[in-house]
Tab-separated table of all heavy atoms in Angstrom:
chain	number	residue	atom	x	y	z
A	259	PRO	N	30.917	-12.105	-18.915
A	259	PRO	CA	29.813	-12.218	-17.958
A	259	PRO	C	29.606	-10.950	-17.139
A	259	PRO	O	28.467	-10.603	-16.810
A	259	PRO	CB	30.225	-13.399	-17.070
A	259	PRO	CG	31.692	-13.546	-17.260
A	259	PRO	CD	31.977	-13.100	-18.652
A	260	LEU	N	30.705	-10.254	-16.825
A	260	LEU	CA	30.581	-9.022	-16.049
A	260	LEU	C	29.804	-7.968	-16.826
A	260	LEU	O	28.873	-7.335	-16.299
A	260	LEU	CB	31.971	-8.499	-15.678
A	260	LEU	CG	32.005	-7.162	-14.928
A	260	LEU	CD1	31.282	-7.283	-13.597
A	260	LEU	CD2	33.451	-6.713	-14.715
A	261	VAL	N	30.174	-7.762	-18.079
A	261	VAL	CA	29.484	-6.777	-18.920
A	261	VAL	C	28.031	-7.191	-19.142
A	261	VAL	O	27.109	-6.357	-19.125
A	261	VAL	CB	30.220	-6.606	-20.263
A	261	VAL	CG1	29.412	-5.733	-21.216
A	261	VAL	CG2	31.601	-6.004	-20.035
A	262	THR	N	27.806	-8.485	-19.323
A	262	THR	CA	26.435	-8.981	-19.519
A	262	THR	C	25.564	-8.655	-18.315
A	262	THR	O	24.429	-8.185	-18.453
A	262	THR	CB	26.444	-10.502	-19.756
A	262	THR	OG1	27.234	-10.792	-20.915
A	262	THR	CG2	25.033	-11.022	-19.959
A	263	ILE	N	26.098	-8.894	-17.123
A	263	ILE	CA	25.343	-8.596	-15.905
A	263	ILE	C	25.056	-7.107	-15.800
A	263	ILE	O	23.948	-6.690	-15.444
A	263	ILE	CB	26.107	-9.100	-14.665
A	263	ILE	CG1	26.130	-10.632	-14.653
A	263	ILE	CG2	25.470	-8.569	-13.394
A	263	ILE	CD1	26.964	-11.214	-13.530
A	264	LEU	N	26.051	-6.286	-16.111
A	264	LEU	CA	25.858	-4.834	-16.029
A	264	LEU	C	24.800	-4.358	-17.017
A	264	LEU	O	23.968	-3.501	-16.700
A	264	LEU	CB	27.186	-4.117	-16.285
A	264	LEU	CG	28.243	-4.254	-15.174
A	264	LEU	CD1	29.552	-3.607	-15.611
A	264	LEU	CD2	27.742	-3.630	-13.880
A	265	ILE	N	24.816	-4.902	-18.230
A	265	ILE	CA	23.813	-4.523	-19.234
A	265	ILE	C	22.420	-4.957	-18.784
A	265	ILE	O	21.457	-4.180	-18.844
A	265	ILE	CB	24.148	-5.138	-20.600
A	265	ILE	CG1	25.439	-4.509	-21.164
A	265	ILE	CG2	22.995	-4.956	-21.575
A	265	ILE	CD1	25.924	-5.151	-22.445
A	266	LEU	N	22.308	-6.197	-18.324
A	266	LEU	CA	21.006	-6.685	-17.846
A	266	LEU	C	20.521	-5.863	-16.659
A	266	LEU	O	19.332	-5.552	-16.553
A	266	LEU	CB	21.116	-8.161	-17.456
A	266	LEU	CG	21.244	-9.163	-18.603
A	266	LEU	CD1	21.506	-10.560	-18.065
A	266	LEU	CD2	19.988	-9.148	-19.470
A	267	TRP	N	21.441	-5.527	-15.765
A	267	TRP	CA	21.067	-4.729	-14.600
A	267	TRP	C	20.586	-3.344	-15.007
A	267	TRP	O	19.631	-2.811	-14.429
A	267	TRP	CB	22.263	-4.623	-13.660
A	267	TRP	CG	21.990	-3.785	-12.451
A	267	TRP	CD1	21.326	-4.139	-11.317
A	267	TRP	CD2	22.370	-2.408	-12.279
A	267	TRP	NE1	21.256	-3.088	-10.444
A	267	TRP	CE2	21.894	-2.004	-11.010
A	267	TRP	CE3	23.057	-1.487	-13.069
A	267	TRP	CZ2	22.095	-0.722	-10.510
A	267	TRP	CZ3	23.253	-0.209	-12.581
A	267	TRP	CH2	22.778	0.162	-11.313
A	268	SER	N	21.210	-2.753	-16.018
A	268	SER	CA	20.838	-1.398	-16.448
A	268	SER	C	19.471	-1.354	-17.128
A	268	SER	O	18.770	-0.344	-17.064
A	268	SER	CB	21.902	-0.827	-17.385
A	268	SER	OG	21.963	-1.571	-18.586
A	269	VAL	N	19.079	-2.447	-17.783
A	269	VAL	CA	17.793	-2.464	-18.483
A	269	VAL	C	16.711	-3.161	-17.662
A	269	VAL	O	15.545	-3.157	-18.052
A	269	VAL	CB	17.909	-3.162	-19.859
A	269	VAL	CG1	18.907	-2.446	-20.737
A	269	VAL	CG2	18.278	-4.633	-19.705
A	270	ARG	N	17.090	-3.754	-16.556
A	270	ARG	CA	16.124	-4.470	-15.719
A	270	ARG	C	15.112	-3.492	-15.131
A	270	ARG	O	15.482	-2.404	-14.671
A	270	ARG	CB	16.860	-5.190	-14.585
A	270	ARG	CG	16.022	-6.176	-13.805
A	270	ARG	CD	16.823	-6.773	-12.666
A	270	ARG	NE	17.057	-5.820	-11.594
A	270	ARG	CZ	17.779	-6.074	-10.499
A	270	ARG	NH1	18.370	-7.257	-10.384
A	270	ARG	NH2	17.945	-5.162	-9.570
A	271	PRO	N	13.821	-3.822	-15.133
A	271	PRO	CA	12.812	-2.928	-14.538
A	271	PRO	C	13.136	-2.622	-13.085
A	271	PRO	O	13.691	-3.459	-12.363
A	271	PRO	CB	11.506	-3.732	-14.663
A	271	PRO	CG	11.743	-4.664	-15.803
A	271	PRO	CD	13.200	-5.017	-15.747
A	272	THR	N	12.800	-1.424	-12.661
A	272	THR	CA	13.067	-1.005	-11.284
A	272	THR	C	11.916	-1.334	-10.359
A	272	THR	O	11.998	-1.087	-9.156
A	272	THR	CB	13.335	0.508	-11.240
A	272	THR	OG1	12.194	1.202	-11.799
A	272	THR	CG2	14.573	0.861	-12.037
A	273	THR	N	10.834	-1.849	-10.912
A	273	THR	CA	9.670	-2.167	-10.093
A	273	THR	C	9.892	-3.449	-9.303
A	273	THR	O	10.781	-4.249	-9.615
A	273	THR	CB	8.419	-2.334	-10.968
A	273	THR	OG1	8.685	-3.328	-11.971
A	273	THR	CG2	8.055	-1.026	-11.643
A	274	PHE	N	9.073	-3.595	-8.267
A	274	PHE	CA	9.106	-4.826	-7.488
A	274	PHE	C	8.697	-5.998	-8.384
A	274	PHE	O	7.830	-5.832	-9.227
A	274	PHE	CB	8.122	-4.677	-6.311
A	274	PHE	CG	8.151	-5.827	-5.349
A	274	PHE	CD1	9.065	-5.860	-4.315
A	274	PHE	CD2	7.272	-6.877	-5.486
A	274	PHE	CE1	9.098	-6.923	-3.433
A	274	PHE	CE2	7.289	-7.946	-4.623
A	274	PHE	CZ	8.201	-7.966	-3.590
A	275	PRO	N	9.337	-7.182	-8.298
A	275	PRO	CA	10.235	-7.624	-7.221
A	275	PRO	C	11.692	-7.726	-7.639
A	275	PRO	O	12.459	-8.451	-7.010
A	275	PRO	CB	9.679	-9.020	-6.932
A	275	PRO	CG	9.329	-9.529	-8.296
A	275	PRO	CD	8.851	-8.331	-9.083
A	276	TYR	N	12.099	-7.043	-8.708
A	276	TYR	CA	13.432	-7.250	-9.273
A	276	TYR	C	14.548	-6.949	-8.269
A	276	TYR	O	15.417	-7.789	-8.020
A	276	TYR	CB	13.597	-6.404	-10.530
A	276	TYR	CG	12.712	-6.855	-11.673
A	276	TYR	CD1	11.465	-6.285	-11.877
A	276	TYR	CD2	13.118	-7.858	-12.537
A	276	TYR	CE1	10.643	-6.702	-12.921
A	276	TYR	CE2	12.316	-8.285	-13.582
A	276	TYR	CZ	11.065	-7.696	-13.764
A	276	TYR	OH	10.263	-8.122	-14.791
A	277	ALA	N	14.543	-5.756	-7.706
A	277	ALA	CA	15.585	-5.407	-6.746
A	277	ALA	C	15.493	-6.275	-5.500
A	277	ALA	O	16.511	-6.680	-4.920
A	277	ALA	CB	15.473	-3.927	-6.386
A	278	HIS	N	14.274	-6.569	-5.087
A	278	HIS	CA	14.072	-7.390	-3.895
A	278	HIS	C	14.684	-8.775	-4.068
A	278	HIS	O	15.250	-9.336	-3.126
A	278	HIS	CB	12.580	-7.504	-3.606
A	278	HIS	CG	12.237	-8.403	-2.465
A	278	HIS	ND1	12.558	-8.112	-1.156
A	278	HIS	CD2	11.610	-9.603	-2.435
A	278	HIS	CE1	12.145	-9.087	-0.378
A	278	HIS	NE2	11.566	-10.010	-1.123
Side-chain angles (χ1 to χ4, degrees):
L260 177 62
V261 172
T262 301
I263 291 175
L264 290 175
I265 293 174
L266 288 173
W267 178 80
S268 65
V269 300
R270 191 183 72 183
T272 57
T273 55
F274 185 86
Y276 293 94
H278 176 68

